[in-house]
């Protein structure tokens, strides 16, 4: 499958190639390819959701490989929206989501990748990390929580971790949801104006905006130092939520199709099972006939029941 619009391949368009010197300022967060509006993109997004459901079924049935989706971005970039819209058609039995928040005391007592190891996907599963272990080279760096001598060595650990997952047939896709400061502020206003979204408001929404340049530098370094053929980073223009969903779903479909997923062959003798099925069906018919009173047809029994109701019906 090529890209979602024309022949554009979104994997090539938004990929952070190994060895590249990415500059987020050079990438337009409002980019929408050839689609002019949500309305023109909706049919394609709907087809993508349907295709993802079918591919996820194959992944789950095959139960040999897995997929880890990492979602990163600044506040209000749309991580929850991707999970809600792009993955909406998949079977919950084979898809899990882990949200990485402030580390607990137990998590802080272990190495920074410990909590990530706990939630890696099993064979046949899709796991989505809403934020991830990358917070340990982002937040801790921006806020000087740990020394540079500590966080700067973590890029290597992350590469090793992702290489380990790749060696066990876990495919990794990492998405940075790229929005502008103006778009972030517009989304903060939506949260203020909509009572159903007030709960999402945090003091940190505004205090963290002061660190925007530092976060951008930290994201650029993280992507540059950890993008790899088996664990690529993609920068997704996300000012338009619908285009974000279109691009990410297209990349997911292309990746899963390239895996050449196969429904496994039956582990039983189908011929023998069919014979057992037909035998069971014959027995069931016998049981159904025995439910009719001896000497009465089913129709006669139903007629008697109707007459009984008329006899005992109250008068007046």
């Amino acid at each position: 499958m090529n890209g979602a619009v024309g022949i554009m391949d979104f994997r090539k368009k938004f990929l952070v190639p190994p060895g590249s010197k990415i500059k987020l300022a050079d990438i337009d967060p409002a980019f929408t390819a050839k689609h002019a509006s949500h309305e023109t993109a909706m049919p394609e997004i709907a087809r993508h959701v349907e295709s993802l459901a079918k591919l996820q079924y194959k992944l789950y049935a095959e139960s040999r490989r897995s997929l880890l989706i990492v979602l990163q971005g600044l506040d209000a970039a749309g991580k929850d929206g991707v999970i809600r819209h792009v993955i909406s058609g998949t079977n919950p039995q084979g898809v899990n989501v882990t949200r990485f928040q402030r580390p607990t005391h137990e998590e802080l007592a272990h190495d920074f990748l410990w909590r990530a190891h706990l939630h890696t996907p099993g064979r046949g599963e899709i796991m989505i990390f809403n934020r991830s272990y990358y917070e340990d080279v982002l937040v801790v760096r921006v806020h000087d929580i740990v020394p540079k001598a500590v966080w700067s060595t973590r890029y290597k650990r992350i590469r090793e971790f992702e290489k380990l997952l790749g060696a066990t047939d876990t495919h990794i896709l990492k998405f940075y949801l790229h929005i502008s400061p103006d778009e972030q502020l517009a989304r903060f206003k939506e949260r203020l104006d909509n009572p159903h979204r007030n709960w999402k408001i945090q003091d940190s929404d505004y205090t963290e905006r002061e660190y925007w340049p530092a976060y951008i530098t930290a994201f650029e370094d993280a992507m540059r130092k950890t993008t790899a053929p088996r664990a690529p980073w993609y920068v997704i223009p996300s000012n338009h939520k619908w285009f974000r969903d279109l691009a990410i779903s297209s990349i997911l479909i292309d990746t899963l199709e390239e895996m050449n997923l196969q429904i496994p062959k039956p582990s039983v003798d189908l011929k023998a099972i069919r014979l057992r099925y037909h035998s069971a069906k014959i027995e069931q018919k016998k049981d159904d006939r025995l439910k009719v009173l001896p000497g009465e047809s089913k129709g006669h029994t139903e007629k008697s029941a109707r007459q009984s109701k008329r006899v005992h019906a109250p008068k007046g």
Side-chain angles (χ1 to χ4, degrees), residues 252-276:
L252 290 175
I253 290 169
D254 285 350
T255 300
L256 288 167
E257 285 184 342
E258 197 173 74
M259 290 166 66
N260 192 28
L261 301 165
Q262 300 293 320
I263 300 292
K265 293 181 179 180
S267 59
V268 297
D269 183 344
L270 287 183
K271 186 176 180 180
I273 293 295
R274 284 194 180 95
L275 289 173
R276 292 174 64 180

Side-chain angles (χ1 to χ4, degrees), residues 229-244:
R230 289 294 297 271
W233 270 106
Y234 297 96
V235 176
I236 306 298
S238 299
N239 271 13
H240 298 281
K241 299 174 183 178
W242 56 267
F243 181 76
R244 170 204 70 202

Side-chain angles (χ1 to χ4, degrees), residues 112 133-141 151 154-155 158 218 222:
F112 80 99
Y133 45 92
Y134 279 93
E135 296 297 299
D136 290 287
V137 291
L138 296 169
V139 175
V140 299
R141 170 180 174 171
W151 61 253
R154 290 178 174 175
Y155 300 118
I158 288 172

Side-chain angles (χ1 to χ4, degrees), residues 6 21 71 77 103 136 198 222 237 309:
K21 294 183 179 180
L71 300 176
D136 290 287
N198 287 171
K309 286 181 181 179

Side-chain angles (χ1 to χ4, degrees), residues 1-13 33-34 44 250 254:
M1 175 180 177
N2 285 322
V5 183
I7 59 172
M8 179 175 288
D9 185 338
F10 287 145
R11 288 194 297 178
K12 291 182 179 179
K13 176 69 178 177
K34 294 182 180 179
E44 193 156 12
S250 177
D254 285 350

